Amino acid sequence: MLSPSRILSCSCAGLLLSVLQFHTVDASEPHFVDLNVDDTEPTFRFTSETTISGNLRASTTANSGQRPSFPASHQKHRHLAKVADWRPWPDNYINNIEVIHNLCDDEWISAVERACQAWTDRSDAVGLLLTAAQCNKKVNDDLTFIPGKIHVVYGTCGSDCCGKANVEYSWRGDGTITEYQALVRLDPSCFSGSWLEGKQYLACHEIGHAIGLGHNNDDDSCLGPFNQRNNQVLNSGPGKDDIRVLDNVIYPNAVIAGGGNAGPAPAPAPAP
């Protein structure tokens, strides 16, 4: 899904670079832009989004949660955890990422807290630390990226859509990531009423994208289609294969014994 284009201008060592336009694109369509006119050490920026859609706006009736719609390629066969189409967080960051939220509703806050805790408890590489910023009930009011953080806000993502994760990062020509951040939007009209597990599923799903996982068709994973029976959510947390891919495929060099929280993360390499 394409969103309105964003205009970006940068300066380096007093030199004004060209104004560039790029689009936030679907996760299946990664888009790269060269931001540096110095050919000796180019800097690049990547931006991508992935959404969850479907009729999830009803309250807690037994048939309220419809399975989200996914691309046809995801419907052909069941597959487990999938690495996202963008580069992951730096290894020295993933152990301890601060997740800053501006949520106000206690149940939404609890849902995000549970989701962060689930990813942290189950993975030996991922450590997510939830921090409350000032409550902001306005939807789509603050869609800003915070460098080095995951920012969680109330936000919409178009018709028939409940959540969206955006990832942005920059890197040098040698591959060194110089900046990384993610923005997660949660539509407060989805899972309306008191349905903590439904909200947790949505938070877990979008945070899963923010830390490097794509969609899957695993019934046990929050990255799969919404799976509920008799109003009980069966996949409100990460699946076993999500953790396998995080710890063994995406972040094998970040795994630490006993869990993913390794203390404050050092900053990424400074831009040249």
Side-chain angles (χ1 to χ4, degrees), residues 134-219:
Q134 184 172 354
C135 157
N136 186 349
K137 294 183 178 180
K138 295 181 180 179
V139 177
N140 297 325
D141 186 57
D142 181 11
L143 303 179
T144 58
F145 288 88
I146 304 175
K149 318 290 186 186
I150 298 175
H151 190 196
V152 181
V153 300
Y154 292 129
T156 57
C157 48
S159 176
D160 198 26
C161 178
C162 281
K164 177 163 68 173
N166 293 84
V167 168
E168 283 194 353
Y169 55 85
S170 301
W171 74 97
R172 298 189 197 137
D174 64 1
T176 303
I177 289 179
T178 59
E179 185 180 320
Y180 205 116
Q181 53 265 329
L183 173 67
V184 168
R185 307 182 202 191
L186 304 174
D187 189 335
S189 69
C190 295
F191 297 104
S192 58
S194 180
W195 196 359
L196 178 57
E197 284 189 330
K199 293 178 172 73
Q200 181 183 339
Y201 162 79
L202 183 59
C204 178
H205 185 106
E206 299 307 337
I207 291 172
H209 289 317
I211 60 176
L213 291 170
H215 287 136
N216 63 48
N217 274 351
D218 185 356
D219 289 339

Side-chain angles (χ1 to χ4, degrees), residues 120-142:
T120 299
D121 287 348
R122 299 181 192 183
S123 170
D124 287 335
V126 175
L128 302 176
L129 305 177
L130 187 64
T131 300
Q134 184 172 354
C135 157
N136 186 349
K137 294 183 178 180
K138 295 181 180 179
V139 177
N140 297 325
D141 186 57
D142 181 11

Side-chain angles (χ1 to χ4, degrees), residues 18-80:
S18 300
V19 177
L20 301 174
Q21 176 174 302
F22 64 95
H23 296 277
T24 299
V25 295
D26 187 85
S28 62
E29 302 177 75
H31 189 69
F32 303 86
V33 178
D34 186 343
L35 299 184
N36 198 320
V37 296
D38 181 3
D39 292 335
T40 61
E41 192 160 20
T43 300
F44 305 89
R45 178 176 292 274
F46 168 89
T47 182
S48 182
E49 75 179 28
T50 185
T51 65
I52 181 168
S53 59
N55 179 19
L56 301 177
R57 300 177 184 278
S59 59
T60 57
T61 57
N63 61 353
S64 60
Q66 303 296 321
R67 284 178 175 264
S69 59
F70 290 91
S73 60
H74 291 176
Q75 303 285 5
K76 293 180 180 178
H77 57 84
R78 181 173 182 267
H79 60 265
L80 300 180

